[in-house]
Amino acid sequence: MSLSERLREALAARGADWPAPLHHLETVGSTNDWLKEAARAASLPEWSAVVSERQTAGRGRQGHTWVSLPGNLFLSVLLRPRLTGDGALALPLLAGVAVAEAAEEMGADVRLKWPNDVVAGGAKLGGILAEGFAAGAGLEGLVIGIGLNLAVEQDQLPEGLGQPVTSIRGLSGRTPSLVDAAAAVLARMRGWYDALSARGAAPVLDAWRARSLPWWGRTVEARAGGAVVRGIARGIDGRGALLLDLEDGRRAALVAGEVREVRPT
């Protein structure tokens, strides 16, 4: 039985009869790029997904490289959201909640760092990259890419990554299979997406806040493109934007960027 067939069975066992193709690749440049190209070429339905055992050109937000060693989860999912406003902006946070819940099922105690990181004990466990693609003047689809460290060890990674890395095996002592990890994430994503469609962004954002890093009231620095802003983190608003009280007294709401805590000197 192929990995795709085993994944479909694992999803069905969780009560998620999958409505779209599930693809498995041994090696790919980027699962996000592969799925975007496939979606454009073949008009794939929503919830089409691809799992790869290895990426050669994985990436994170702001153009960062995602080191993609075999034995970890590299997964991308196609959404064709009919959401606007608050619901659409909450989708990357929704994916974070789904990954966090899946990691907790696998024995990890995790926190979410706005907007897209899954961390444990100060080390990075996973990340999310959401990328839209257009048809004419409208949004044709959104691909959400997920990287989750199942077995990687710090000494396997190149030096100079700038952040320590951890894995499910390092946190729990056991290594989940690729199929089990993908099924856990996908089933939760679909459940939260249905909740978002039915009840709006509030339940998703509440679940995200419950797992967020305890940064509120602390000074952080946010980078978006070439701009850098510093302020006191106050939480997220009803859209999922990060609220910062800036040094000049204004309040900013950031919808994208890369954030780090500024440690006292």
Side-chain angles (χ1 to χ4, degrees), residues 165-234:
V165 170
T166 190
S167 67
I168 297 295
R169 182 170 67 192
L171 294 166
S172 70
R174 61 189 182 92
T175 306
S177 72
L178 199 59
V179 167
D180 288 343
V185 171
L186 287 171
R188 284 171 170 80
M189 278 191 68
R190 192 170 176 199
W192 278 111
Y193 190 77
D194 290 346
L196 178 66
S197 300
R199 294 184 283 152
V204 172
L205 300 182
D206 285 345
W208 189 92
R209 291 184 184 102
R211 291 174 172 80
S212 66
L213 284 174
W215 277 7
W216 317 128
R218 301 180 187 177
T219 301
V220 301
E221 184 177 86
R223 296 176 178 269
V228 179
V229 295
R230 181 178 290 198
I232 306 297
R234 295 303 184 190

